[in-house]
Amino acid sequence: MSAVVAEPVAVFGCRPRVAGGVCFLEDQVVLHAAGTGCLRLHLEQKWHKFIPGTEKSRGVQALAVSPNRRYLAVSETVAEQPSLTVYELSSVPARRRRTLTSAELPAREAVSLAFSPDCRYLAAATAPPEGHLTYWLWEKQRLLAAVRVEAPGSGICQVSFSPQDNAQVCITGNGFFKLFKYSEGTLKQVNLQKGEPQNYLCHAWLSKEEVICGTDTGKLILFETGELHWETSVEYKKTPRELEEDATTEDYESSSDVSCGLASEDNGSQQDSLPQISAVAAYSKGFACSSSPGVVLLFEKTKGKEVYKESQEIWLPRDLFSSEPKQSGRQDIICICFSPSEETMVVNTNKNQLYMFTMFSTDLMKEKAAYFAYLNFPLHSASITGLDICIWKPILATCSLDRSVRIWNYKTNTLELYKEYREEAYTVSLHPTGLFCLVGFSDKLRFISLLYEDMHVFKEFAVRKCRECSFSNGGHLFAAVNGNVIQIYSSITFENINNLKGHSGKIHAVKWSADDSKFVSCDTHGAVYEWNLLTGKRDSECVLKSCIYSSIALSSDAKIIFAVGSDQTLKEIAESSIQHEVPAFGVVYTAVAVSHSGHMVFVGTSLGTIRAMKYPLPLTKDFNEYQAHAGAVTKMSVTNDDLFLLTVSEDGSIFIWKVYDKGGGILKWEKEVEYAEEVLIMRSDIEEKSQAMLDLQIHVKELQTENDYQLRLKDMYCDEKIKELEENFTQEIGSLKTKHQILQAEKEKQELQHQFQLSELMNKQAREVQQLESDSNQKLLMENEKYQELQVKSQRMQEEYEKQLHNLEESKSRAVKELTEYYEEKLNEKSVLLEEAKEDMRQQLQAHEEIKKQIEEDEDREILEIKIKYERQLLEEKESNLQLKGETGVMNKRLNSLQKELKERNRDIEEMRLEQQKLQGIIKSLEKDTLALKTEIQERADTIQDKEKHIYDLKKKNQELEKFKFVLDYRVEEFKKQIESRENDIKTMKEQICEMEGELERFHKESTQLKLNITQLQQKLKATDREMHRERQKKQNMEALIKRFKTDLHNCVGFIQDSKKMKDRIRELYTKYVQQSDTVETEALDTDLQQEYMRQREYLERNLAALKKKVKDQEVHQAAYMRIVQENVSLIKEINDLRQELKVAHTQVHDLRSTLRLTKKKQAIQDTAPSSELLSSPAVLRLNAEKESEKIIEMQQLEIQYLRDQIQEKGQVLAVQPLSGGNLPKLNLERSHKTQQQ
């Protein structure tokens, strides 16, 4: 493949009239149709990621993004055939997942797409009047359903899924609103259209049942479950600036009236003033719609009669750089979408423009009207006719039939300048400095200065409809095409230096050489001229009248010219002749560009694709082709550092490509380019800005003084408020204190009342407890008597069930013995049959080997006979040749010719014989196959008859079994009735027992609670008595200590005069009294703690013992009842399981019998088959039949062994199971077994 790789870095353009053309992938990532594919654009980081379309695509017609933002569905036309493709957006780059096609439907392009809420299904609608709605399971590329949508006329058609239902689809168009429900492989209409048909232009789901639709007459219609729920008419809206320009208030009032709004002020036509709902989109608060050109209305839900009410108008901004600012704000909005967080709204217009609006600002704005802003930059809305780059700056200039000239920066991917004019622009050329440009308009050629924020026309030239112009590489000259003449001007003096005449057709391209000494041009009559600017004459020419040249490119040394035209080739021209021609492989080349290094050539095609190839040019298909534009490439250029390729197209899109070398890296320039940052600005602009700055500074100072004054006023006001608040709070605190005192007094009174009431309640409770105890004792005696009666009944039931189970076991053991004897007899029979089959196999093998030997001997004989024949013929021919050699020289020539003819005929004869042998072998093999197939048909007919007989027998047995089943069902119902009656009795008894137990528990709880209260009170009294004794003891001890201390003190006072004795006595007193008091206190504390701990422990142990007794009693009663119930249930289940197992065993026995009969019949057929058929049938078939019979016998032996094991297990289970009481009747199993054997 080609070593040149190009990757799109930025795309500026939006494809118009695409259904669902704009949508959000994330809060900051927008996806829209551009060129032949789709573009992902990040709003903050400004990166571009292009998703190219399918090869030979003509552009996107409709797109849809799945609700989880992972998949993208695209409808496009590929090679004049419609295509429906699903991409996976999560992979990098986006990967094509599925392409949906159906041979059942007519090949028509889908105009609207929609994903289901779970992203599994895709709905597609083709345009009416012969429209279809298709329902796809796109992951499996399966068309689930399709329905034709009949419409009276053509128009816009839209399809969408219900936001919560995968099966519900809505489709609207001119004259129809239909809801379909997918069920049982078809789409069924669920609504009936009532009233006059409307032309529905758009719709959106507001909830699971509500759909809002917009019509071409300005009506908003709300359908709920397919029926009309609400309707309103939206008036034609005038912009706020138009309303301000109106002279009187009457005009203001009339602008909101539909009847008055029918007169447009812009052009006076009635069509522009009619309201039309061109787009609608739902969000959480309501919905947004566009009722008039340039405006979006927000409607919010209300609780009144009007279900939705208009809350805000959002207008497109006026473009000040446009030639008609009023019309720039009056574009038709064709698509509206909201971000996932509903913070941003993006709209798409009919002039390929994208606008955005931040939704959170609506709550903050007091004014009703708001304005959009450009999503990225204003884009071209028509075919781009001119493209050029400069040397000083990383910028490119473009001009378009939309009458605009734009300056783009390909490094930062931004729009630096743009301006609209009144005439169409055909060509543009940038000065090498990037400060000036030439633009060829329909009336004049203009020399324009590129200012900081504007474009200023500096000079005009009287050159009408200039289709090509170009600055020289030095910038001192420029060339302009005037008809068939190329005029050379000085860019300094603006004088016409030279006129280059000689072209007979329209000049399509001009190029300067690197040193500006040569000039090359091409025209529509197939002429490529090389001019010498010093002499003004042609240096060389190359004319090919059959080709209409559209573009040329020069190599850096100006020796090679690359030209493309209508003959679908790329020509390499040098020295006035075509050196090489590279075919275009079915497309027309429209533009060509060469890198400055000369190693890379880029070509643009009429389909909008870009081809990158290495130089020297390849003759084969050795190039990289990239899907880019949706129209023919008009111009392309390579930057001076060979890092970027710039392409423009008729679809109004600009692609900036980054060029890579063979290893995948970017091509490196020898010197790093330093770009100039100088800009031009008018003196008047500088003066205006300086004056504006002075005015703003003065205004800032005034605002500062005003703010200072207002801050002082606010401080004064705040101080006064603080004083007022302090006074109020002090008053409130005083009042709250008085209230607090009153409440405390009331609280004390209430406490006394509560104590008195408690004492009364305690007395009442004691009386009630005594009465309850006496009542509960009587009830317990009654319940015990009932319980004993129930126990006697349950014992009787158990004895009956044990007898029945014993009978069942005996009958089962007899049946098992009979089955084992029966199967053992069958095993013996099958072993005998196996031995016979093996002997037959040995005999057949011997016969086969003998036949094989005979065939080989016959073939050897035939080969020898053929050899002898040909040897004789050869000898005869040699003898005839020797005789002919002796003849004259004249006859030798004839002989030679005859010999050649003979040899050729002999070859033909040999070939014919070989063919004959092959055909005979084929005929024999086919005859053998026919015989084998006949035998197979006979065998299968016999087997079919046997199976039909077997089916008839089975039907008879089935009827008998159904009769037996009816008898058993009747018995089972009788048993169930008996069991139900007894279960009802048990339930009633259980309920009574539960009630009695509940009452007992309540009494026990109340009695225990009372006992606990009494014990607590008694313990408290004992504790208080002990504390009283302790305190009295302490008091006596202290009094004794005080007396002793007084006497000791009195004795100590006698030694007042003697200080030493006095000191010793005081020390003795200290050691005597202070230490003793400490020890007494600590001992008293320890004893108190131990006593309290022992008292608490005893109390807790008593409570535990009482609770354990209660739990044990309850558990014993419940366990007894539950055991009886569980035993009864388990017995019933075991009986049912045994019945089912018996049925399964009988069915298996029947299956085994049928397989044995089949094997016997097959073996009988093989034994009776004639020897001729055995010889003709291949040995492989017989070996397979023998293997199959062996496998069948092995499978039957395994099944018999499995049945024996199961019988042993069942016998063990019945022997081990415990016998419990029951009352089921005895089953007649012997009779059922006999009927099944018959």
Side-chain angles (χ1 to χ4, degrees), residues 1134-1147:
E1134 283 170 5
I1135 291 157
N1136 290 327
D1137 291 335
L1138 287 166
R1139 286 171 183 167
Q1140 288 177 357
E1141 284 169 3
L1142 275 168
K1143 286 178 184 178
V1144 171
H1146 291 314
T1147 52

Side-chain angles (χ1 to χ4, degrees), residues 193 261 467 563 597 674 705 827 896 996 1079 1132 1139 1223 1233:
Q193 198 164 342
R467 297 282 177 179
S597 64
E674 292 182 1
T705 53
L827 274 168
N896 289 326
M996 294 300 290
T1079 53
I1132 292 159
R1139 286 171 183 167
N1223 198 18
H1233 182 63

Side-chain angles (χ1 to χ4, degrees), residues 35-236:
T36 54
C38 298
L39 179 69
R40 285 190 281 188
L41 173 67
H42 200 286
L43 300 180
E44 287 183 354
Q45 299 172 10
K46 303 295 181 186
W47 51 253
H48 298 228
K49 289 182 182 177
F50 183 66
I51 303 167
T54 314
E55 191 177 349
K56 295 183 181 179
S57 172
R58 296 289 179 84
V60 178
Q61 294 300 316
L63 60 88
V65 173
S66 62
N68 61 4
R69 311 289 199 270
R70 285 186 62 193
Y71 304 107
L72 168 69
V74 175
S75 170
E76 53 194 344
T77 303
V78 180
E80 298 182 358
Q81 288 293 321
S83 174
L84 197 58
T85 312
V86 179
Y87 293 87
E88 187 174 357
L89 296 171
S90 56
S91 61
V92 180
R95 183 167 59 89
R96 190 180 284 109
R97 278 286 296 270
R98 296 284 184 274
T99 302
L100 309 178
T101 54
S102 176
E104 300 168 6
L105 298 172
R108 297 198 66 196
E109 196 171 41
V111 295
S112 183
L113 303 171
F115 276 97
S116 62
D118 64 352
C119 310
R120 291 181 61 207
Y121 304 100
L122 181 70
T126 58
E130 295 179 359
H132 281 85
L133 173 64
T134 54
Y135 189 85
W136 298 84
L137 181 64
W138 66 268
E139 278 281 0
K140 296 183 179 178
Q141 298 177 325
R142 196 167 73 204
L143 178 65
L144 297 178
V147 64
R148 186 172 176 180
V149 181
E150 294 181 358
S154 61
I156 297 167
C157 177
Q158 186 185 350
V159 67
S160 65
F161 271 94
S162 170
Q164 297 175 17
D165 190 357
N166 294 327
Q168 195 164 10
V169 184
C170 176
I171 184 168
T172 57
N174 188 358
F176 63 89
F177 166 80
K178 295 183 179 182
L179 288 172
F180 288 95
K181 189 89 173 177
Y182 175 74
S183 65
E184 297 176 357
T186 57
L187 285 166
K188 295 177 183 176
Q189 188 174 348
V190 295
N191 70 319
L192 292 170
Q193 198 164 342
K194 297 176 183 177
E196 293 182 4
Q198 302 275 346
N199 184 5
Y200 298 104
L201 300 178
C202 54
H203 74 265
W205 289 85
L206 302 179
S207 66
K208 188 180 178 181
E209 297 175 345
E210 291 183 342
V211 184
I212 190 80
C213 297
T215 69
D216 61 345
T217 57
K219 285 184 179 179
L220 284 169
I221 303 170
L222 182 69
F223 292 95
E224 190 170 351
T225 62
E227 294 182 0
L228 181 65
H229 180 62
W230 175 72
E231 184 179 346
T232 186
S233 293
V234 183
E235 301 151 354
Y236 183 82

Side-chain angles (χ1 to χ4, degrees), residues 287-310:
F287 64 91
C289 70
S290 175
S291 62
S292 307
V295 67
V296 172
L297 306 178
L298 294 180
F299 283 80
E300 292 186 1
K301 196 162 189 177
T302 60
K303 294 180 180 178
K305 291 181 180 179
E306 292 185 1
V307 182
Y308 289 92
K309 191 176 181 181
E310 183 188 333

Side-chain angles (χ1 to χ4, degrees), residues 658-717:
K658 190 166 274 189
V659 182
Y660 293 87
D661 63 1
K662 189 175 182 179
I666 300 167
L667 292 167
K668 291 183 180 177
W669 187 240
E670 291 177 0
K671 295 179 181 178
E672 289 186 3
V673 180
E674 292 182 1
Y675 294 110
E677 293 186 357
E678 291 81 4
V679 291
L680 294 176
I681 192 162
M682 299 285 284
R683 190 185 293 277
S684 59
D685 291 342
I686 292 168
E687 288 173 357
E688 284 176 6
K689 285 186 177 178
S690 60
Q691 187 62 41
M693 283 173 72
L694 287 168
D695 293 340
L696 287 167
Q697 285 174 357
I698 292 160
H699 188 59
V700 166
K701 287 179 182 177
E702 289 174 357
L703 287 168
Q704 283 178 350
T705 53
E706 285 180 5
N707 283 328
D708 292 337
Y709 177 68
Q710 286 180 356
L711 282 168
R712 285 173 191 167
L713 288 172
K714 282 182 180 177
D715 290 337
M716 296 282 286
Y717 179 71

Side-chain angles (χ1 to χ4, degrees), residues 59-60 120 153 299 333 344 363 405 600 644 804 831-832 840 867 900 910 981 1121 1170 1173:
V60 178
R120 291 181 61 207
F299 283 80
I333 293 165
T344 311
D363 298 331
V405 179
M600 298 179 291
F644 294 97
Q804 288 176 3
S831 60
V832 172
D840 292 335
K867 251 189 179 182
K900 286 177 183 177
E910 286 175 0
S981 63
Y1121 286 119
E1173 287 178 0

